Amino acid sequence: MVTISLSRSEPTSARADVLVLGVRAASSDHVFGAQLKAMGFTGEPDQIVTFPAADLARARLVVAVALPKEPTTEQLRRLAGGGVRTAVGAKAKTIALAFEPADADELQAVAEGASLGAYAFTSYKTKPNDTLRSITLLTSLARQASATNAVTSASIVVDAVSQARDWVNTAPADLRPPVFAQSIKEWAGDATLVTIWDERKLERERCGGILAVGAGSQVPPRLVRLTYRPEKAPRKAMPHLALVGKGITFDSGGLSIKTGAGMQTMKMDMAGAAAVVAAIGAIARLELPIRVTAFACIAENMPSGSATRPGDVLTMRNGATVEVLNTDAEGRLVLGDGLALAAEAKPDAIVDVATLTGACIVALGERTAGVMSNDEPLRQQMVDAAKAAGELVWPLPIAEEMKEKVKSSKVADLRQHNPKAAGGAMFAAEFLRAFVGDLPWAHVDIAGPAFNEEGPYGYVPTGGTGFAVRMLVQLARDLAR
Ligand code: BES
Ligand code: ZN
Ligand code: ZN
C-alpha cells in the first residue's frame, strides 16, 4: 500500500520524485508559466503535460494537470487519479500532489482519487516494476484536524476498494469458495463478526439455491455472514442495513456452458460479494452509527456429473420452489437464498450487489450500473448515494409484465429463466423480488462496471474496479444521519 501524508510545503520546495500539479489557469506569472507554454498547455479539460522541473523545483519531473475553475469532487478524484497514473508511468517512487483543495471534502476526494489511481495488482508478476511508495498531499489545510480526518476516512475507503479489486483480480483457481470465505474472515474479522457456513450447515439451513449452484464444482460453496454494530452509539433507533453480494468465484455457465470468449473474464463474477464485504469493513472502521449485516453468497459454477441440470427443481431458503432452466443464470439462485436470510433479520433496507446480467450491459454500457427496486424512496437514495460517491448508477424499472413471467413455471413456484432475452435485467430483478417479502429492497447490477477490460482511466485501473464499495459506504453515511 502507498502511504498518504499531508504537508504545507510549497510545490517548488516539496521533496518528491515527481510533482503532480493542478493548474487552474496557466497565466504568465505562474511559476512554471514558461514550461507550460512551451508544452502547449492550454488548460482544456483532461489535458496533462509532463516536463522536467529543472531548477524550478526539488522534484525531478512535473506532471501538470488541467483543473476546471470549480471542479466537482468527482472531477478532483478523476484528475488526481490520472495525474498519479501519469507520474507512476514516469517511474515515480514518491509523489507530491498540489491540487489546492478548498476544504476537507475536496481534500478527501483528492486523497481518494490519488490513492485509487496508484493501485497496482502485482501478485503474479515475478519481476514487478519498482512501485510507488508514498504520496504527499500539499495543502494549506495540512495541520487542521478536519484535514487529518479526511485523509483517514479516504484511506479506510481506499483500503476497502483495493481489497475488493484484489479479490476480483485473483486467479479463480486461487480463490475458490472456501479460500474466498477464509480470506474475507481474515480481512474483516477484526472490525466485524464473521460467520462462515460450510456445505453441511447450508444443507441444514435449507439454502437450496447456493447448494445447487455449487453442486458441479469439486469444492463446496460457502455463505459468509458479517455483522457490525457500533459500540458507542445507542442501540435503539439505529437504522439496520442488510447487504447481499453475488460471489461466484468462477462462472463457466455450468451445464448451460458459456463460450470460450464468454468465460474469459468470469473470475470477476464474485465482485458483488467483494463489494459488500469491503463496504461493511469500511463502514465498521469508520465507526458509522448504523447496524449492518452482510451476506456473501459464494459458489463456483462448474459443469460435471454432479452439476445442477436444466429442468431441476430446487427448494430455496424461504421454501419457494424454483424450476432451473439455464444453469448460467446462477446468480439469482445464490442471491435468492442470501436475500431470504437478509429478510429474516428484518432490516430497514436490503441492498444486493451482483454481476448479474449481460442484459444490463446492453442497456447501460460498461461503466454504469443499473439499480432496480421495490421502493421508490430507496431507489432514489441509491442514486443519490452513488452520485455523491462519484459512481455511475442509473435507475431501471422492473416492468410489470415480468411478474407473470417469473410465475409462469408449469412445475414449480418460480421460473428461473425467461427464454426471451428481452428485458433480461428486469426479469432477474423480478425473480429476486420474490425473496425479500415486503421489505424495502434495491438491486444493483454491476455486470458492466465491476471489471474494466480496457485501458485505465481516471482512478480506474484495468481489471477489478472495486465498483459499488464507495456508494454503499455513502448510503450507510446517509442512512446514519
Ligand atoms: N455472470 C453472468 C453475467 C455477466 C455477463 C456479468 C457478462 C458480466 C459480464 C451471469 O451469471 C450470466 O451468465 N447471465 C446470463 C443470464 C442469462 C442466461 C439469462 C446472461 O446475462 O447472459
Ligand atoms: Zn452465469
Ligand atoms: Zn454469473
Side-chain angles (χ1 to χ4, degrees):
M1 266 301 289
V2 177
T3 61
I4 291 263
S5 59
L6 292 171
S7 161
R8 292 177 54 157
S9 296
E10 288 301 316
T12 47
S13 55
R15 241 182 240 284
D17 231 1
V18 176
L19 172 64
V20 177
L21 188 68
V23 181
R24 276 164 221 259
S27 58
S28 51
D29 57 354
H30 193 281
V31 220
F32 297 103
Q35 282 80 358
L36 289 166
K37 193 167 174 222
M39 294 305 298
F41 187 89
T42 56
E44 74 191 55
D46 290 332
Q47 196 180 22
I48 295 190
V49 300
T50 301
F51 51 85
D55 51 3
L56 288 170
R58 277 184 135 154
R60 155 172 75 81
L61 206 67
V62 178
V63 173
V65 180
L67 296 186
K69 277 219 179 61
E70 284 172 23
T72 63
T73 50
E74 177 59 5
Q75 282 174 323
L76 287 172
R77 255 183 228 107
R78 291 182 186 189
L79 293 166
V84 164
R85 279 194 303 98
T86 305
V88 168
K91 300 200 183 341
K93 298 215 179 54
T94 57
I95 291 174
L97 189 137
F99 263 37
E100 291 175 37
D103 55 26
D105 283 348
E106 287 199 5
L107 176 61
Q108 186 167 335
V110 169
E112 283 177 6
S115 21
L116 288 172
Y119 174 86
F121 182 71
T122 54
S123 302
Y124 297 110
K125 294 279 190 194
T126 54
K127 299 179 195 76
N129 297 331
D130 291 343
T131 44
L132 178 68
R133 291 195 309 266
S134 71
I135 301 175
T136 308
L137 304 176
L138 308 183
T139 165
S140 57
L141 306 167
R143 299 226 180 94
Q144 296 177 13
S146 64
T148 322
N149 290 342
V151 171
T152 306
S153 296
S155 306
I156 289 172
V157 172
V158 170
D159 279 351
V161 174
S162 304
Q163 180 59 65
R165 290 175 177 179
D166 282 351
W167 275 324
V168 170
N169 289 331
T170 299
D174 295 334
L175 200 80
R176 296 176 89 188
V179 176
F180 187 24
Q182 200 53 42
S183 178
I184 288 172
K185 187 166 185 169
E186 274 155 31
W187 185 76
D190 64 321
T192 64
L193 189 68
V194 182
T195 320
I196 300 177
W197 286 5
D198 64 11
E199 65 278 22
R200 287 175 304 274
K201 177 75 171 162
L202 286 166
E203 200 78 62
R204 283 201 299 280
E205 298 288 345
R206 303 177 316 280
C207 290
I210 297 175
L211 287 163
V213 174
S217 172
Q218 290 193 341
V219 293
R222 293 287 184 265
L223 177 116
V224 186
R225 191 184 65 206
L226 305 94
T227 53
Y228 160 66
R229 194 194 277 270
E231 274 160 26
K232 291 176 201 155
R235 297 208 153 193
K236 256 180 111 196
M238 220 177 358
H240 180 193
L241 171 65
L243 303 174
V244 181
K246 171 178 174 180
I248 303 300
T249 61
F250 183 70
D251 182 10
S252 69
L255 289 174
S256 312
I257 198 160
K258 289 182 183 291
T259 61
M263 65 176 91
Q264 265 175 31
T265 58
M266 282 303 132
K267 67 173 183 181
M268 59 81 110
D269 213 20
M270 31 56 68
V276 304
V277 169
I280 194 177
I283 291 165
R285 286 170 188 145
L286 290 166
E287 298 181 36
L288 298 183
I290 181 172
R291 267 179 74 193
V292 185
T293 310
F295 298 87
C297 310
I298 304 174
E300 186 183 42
N301 189 21
M302 296 293 258
S304 77
S306 59
T308 297
R309 312 150 196 75
D312 279 345
V313 176
L314 318 174
T315 304
M316 305 285 284
R317 165 74 190 183
N318 69 347
T321 55
V322 172
E323 181 185 14
V324 176
L325 289 164
N326 186 319
T327 62
D328 196 11
E330 81 298 338
R332 60 200 72 177
L333 298 175
V334 299
L335 289 173
D337 284 343
L339 289 167
L341 286 165
E344 287 168 32
K346 299 217 174 352
D348 299 299
I350 304 178
V351 174
D352 79 73
V353 182
T355 48
L356 204 61
T357 66
C360 197
I361 308 179
V362 173
L364 297 174
E366 290 173 327
R367 295 189 184 184
T368 304
V371 60
M372 285 147 272
S373 176
N374 61 358
D375 184 87
E376 261 179 58
L378 178 62
R379 190 180 58 207
Q380 191 56 45
Q381 272 183 310
M382 301 291 297
V383 170
D384 294 344
K387 179 122 208 255
E391 294 191 311
L392 299 172
V393 170
W394 202 257
L396 292 176
I398 309 178
E400 61 178 352
E401 71 271 21
M402 296 301 157
K403 209 161 212 104
E404 48 182 285
K405 292 189 197 294
V406 168
K407 295 242 165 79
S408 70
S409 170
K410 296 275 189 299
V411 298
D413 301 337
L414 303 171
R415 178 186 183 110
Q416 170 239 16
H417 170 67
N418 185 21
K420 276 202 196 153
M426 298 192 294
F427 178 90
E430 181 60 43
F431 181 88
L432 297 180
R433 186 213 290 259
F435 297 89
V436 298
D438 298 330
L439 294 168
W441 150 81
H443 156 59
V444 190
D445 194 330
I446 60 168
F451 197 80
N452 176 21
E453 290 185 61
E454 296 174 351
Y457 55 90
Y459 53 77
V460 181
T462 296
T465 61
F467 190 93
V469 176
R470 287 186 293 129
M471 67 174 288
L472 292 175
V473 172
Q474 185 60 43
L475 177 72
R477 283 194 174 108
D478 295 347
L479 292 173
R481 51 165 146 253

